[in-house]
């Protein structure tokens, strides 16, 4: 485990996950980040969502791979990225994925930031039940270029023991050792998802 500030401990593989670098004109305008340069780590997303799981990992990877395909060698710009979902917001884990993508891209629904004098708006850049082929579509609203991204976590099998331990925990019959083993198995699958990102993420330009 990796420790931060002597108080926070987390799986060491978090630090091996590639970070996502963007430029945020709003942060620059308001003096929050010099040049608007911002860098997100997987740990940042884990802290904001409160957990590390296949869904959170998948959302992070969809953003990482999708933005790379959309911007190539350029730095992605927060607030200039539209995010569309194939499914409904309440369907499956779409809500969780949307929260992560909002954090990373700035894209929000109608409740998002309305901008300053017509600039920096983030609202109405996130939508659901759109006519797309894969799970999520990312569009650069300045150039009009877009990519679609799919996520297939089922390619990384769940250890049968993990499910058995989950049931024991839900029934309040698991020992402290079994609870720790469950945590280890859970994060091991997340680690495998990152290690096999090329197999679980599909990007279509």
């Amino acid at each position: 485990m990796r420790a931060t500030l002597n108080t926070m401990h987390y799986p060491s593989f978090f630090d091996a996950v590639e970070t996502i670098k963007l430029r945020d004109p709003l942060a620059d305008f308001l003096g929050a980040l010099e040049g608007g340069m911002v860098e997100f780590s997987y740990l940042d997303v884990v802290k904001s969502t409160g957990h590390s799981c296949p869904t959170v990992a998948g959302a992070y990877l969809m953003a990482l791979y999708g933005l790379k395909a959309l911007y190539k060698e350029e730095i992605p710009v927060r607030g200039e990225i539209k995010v569309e979902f194939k499914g409904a917001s309440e369907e499956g884990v779409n809500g969780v994925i949307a929260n992560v993508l909002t954090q990373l891209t700035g894209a929000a629904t109608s409740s998002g930031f309305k901008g300053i004098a017509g600039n920096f708006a983030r609202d109405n850049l996130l939508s659901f039940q759109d006519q797309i082929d894969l799970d999520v579509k990312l569009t650069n609203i300045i150039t009009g270029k877009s990519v679609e991204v799919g996520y297939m976590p089922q390619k990384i099998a769940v250890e049968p023991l993990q499910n058995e331990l989950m049931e024991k925990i839900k029934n309040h019959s698991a020992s402290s050792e079994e609870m720790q083993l469950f945590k280890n198995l859970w994060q091991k699958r997340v680690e495998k998802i990152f290690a096999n990102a090329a197999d679980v993420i599909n990007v279509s330009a």
Side-chain angles (χ1 to χ4, degrees), residues 20-24 36-38 40 67 75-76 78 81 104:
I20 297 176
K21 300 178 180 67
L22 308 100
R23 181 171 62 84
D24 192 327
M37 298 308 298
V38 58
F40 289 101
L67 291 175
I75 298 175
R78 294 186 86 222
I81 304 163
L104 296 173

